[in-house]
Amino acid sequence: MSEKSENAAENLMNNIIDTVSDAVSKQKTVRFNTGEEPLSGQVNKLLGRQKSVHHVLGGGKSADVLLWRNKKISSSVLGAATALWVVFEWLDYHFLTLVAFVLVLGMVVQFLWSNASGLLSSSCEVPRVKLPEELFVNIGVAVGGQVNKFLDLIQEISCGGNLKQFLIVVLSLWAAAVIGSWCNLLTVIYIGFVCAHTLPVLYEKYQDQVDNFLAGVLGLLTSQYQKLDQSVLSKIPKGNLKSRKAE
């Protein structure tokens, strides 16, 4: 049994190496495709990209910011996020410390304003800051809705019986756990924020090149999954659930 397992593993590794070399050679010659249908059209059908990137991102002002339609607003948002990350990560400021400093600064400004207006006999009122309650309600509803969607998605995949989707999600969560061990949550959020403000605009600019690369990767993963299914997964014994229910 050990010799058979070793031979099977060796054959699987050889198949992977051969497939990778074939994929690389195909990637090198893919630009010289002279078929009737353009390669970009084939890739678009493969990846299912039928809508614009702006529409996929939801449209509206948020999509405009992510796609840098207004460079001043997009650069300001990305710069503010970078400044916050530098303050908390590089300068070792804590959230409570920063909030306390901001509150102290606001109280000092209001104190000086109120006393200066009294000395100058001015009727100018000191401005007050009050956040609307609807803001917190909308944030809570939005966050709760996204969390419930994520939970429904992973539970649907767990109970759906699709082994391929299940393995993809498990590997993705494992990769997230590995990344989380390398850096803290704030850095992960900042990296995701930067990716959200750079990857969509880069994809919109280089759609064909990215689609060609993803098509090659998708084909490679599909072929490897088929080989894994034929050599390992298909040999796993499965119980007859219908007969058990009938009993």
Side-chain angles (χ1 to χ4, degrees):
M1 293 295 292
S2 60
E3 293 180 357
K4 292 182 179 179
S5 61
E6 291 178 358
N7 294 330
E10 185 177 358
N11 294 331
L12 182 60
M13 291 300 297
N14 293 330
N15 293 331
I16 293 174
I17 294 173
D18 295 338
T19 306
V20 170
S21 61
D22 294 340
V24 172
S25 62
K26 290 180 181 178
Q27 285 292 328
K28 291 181 179 179
T29 59
V30 74
R31 296 181 180 178
F32 302 98
N33 186 12
T34 57
E36 297 180 356
E37 185 178 4
L39 181 61
S40 60
Q42 298 175 5
V43 174
N44 291 345
K45 292 181 180 179
L46 176 64
L47 299 179
R49 178 167 59 84
Q50 301 176 352
K51 300 179 181 179
S52 63
V53 180
H54 188 272
H55 184 77
V56 171
L57 294 176
K61 295 182 179 179
S62 60
D64 293 338
V65 173
L66 295 177
L67 294 175
W68 293 72
R69 295 289 189 264
N70 191 329
K71 295 184 179 180
K72 292 183 178 180
I73 297 177
S74 300
S75 59
S76 299
V77 172
L78 187 58
T82 303
L84 289 175
W85 181 76
V86 170
V87 168
F88 288 115
E89 189 67 19
W90 281 9
L91 301 181
D92 291 333
Y93 270 84
H94 298 284
F95 180 75
L96 181 60
T97 304
L98 185 62
V99 170
F101 282 161
V102 171
L103 292 177
V104 168
L105 180 61
M107 292 181 65
V108 169
V109 170
Q110 288 185 335
F111 178 79
L112 295 176
W113 193 317
S114 61
N115 285 276
S117 61
L119 293 175
L120 297 176
S121 299
S122 176
S123 59
C124 181
E125 296 183 357
V126 180
R128 303 291 181 91
V129 178
K130 185 177 181 180
L131 298 177
E133 296 180 357
E134 297 179 355
L135 175 64
F136 300 99
V137 174
N138 294 332
I139 292 175
V141 171
V143 172
Q146 295 300 323
V147 171
N148 287 328
K149 287 182 180 180
F150 177 74
L151 293 176
D152 291 338
L153 176 63
I154 61 175
Q155 292 177 92
E156 186 68 24
I157 293 175
S158 300
C159 302
N162 191 328
L163 182 60
K164 184 177 180 180
Q165 292 182 355
F166 178 78
L167 293 176
I168 291 174
V169 173
V170 170
L171 291 176
S172 300
L173 294 176
W174 177 79
V178 172
I179 295 174
S181 64
W182 293 343
C183 52
N184 55 22
L185 179 61
L186 179 62
T187 302
V188 174
I189 294 175
Y190 175 71
I191 293 174
F193 191 83
V194 173
C195 291
H197 281 75
T198 54
L199 296 182
V201 65
L202 291 176
Y203 176 73
E204 187 181 39
K205 188 175 182 180
Y206 304 102
Q207 291 183 7
D208 294 334
Q209 293 86 340
V210 174
D211 286 343
N212 293 338
F213 175 76
L214 291 179
V217 174
L218 183 60
L220 178 62
L221 293 177
T222 302
S223 62
Q224 293 306 316
Y225 175 77
Q226 291 176 354
K227 292 180 180 179
L228 180 64
D229 187 24
Q230 294 175 359
S231 59
V232 179
L233 299 180
S234 60
K235 297 180 180 180
I236 298 176
K238 298 180 181 180
N240 193 349
L241 297 179
K242 293 183 179 180
S243 62
R244 291 182 181 177
K245 290 181 180 180
E247 293 177 358

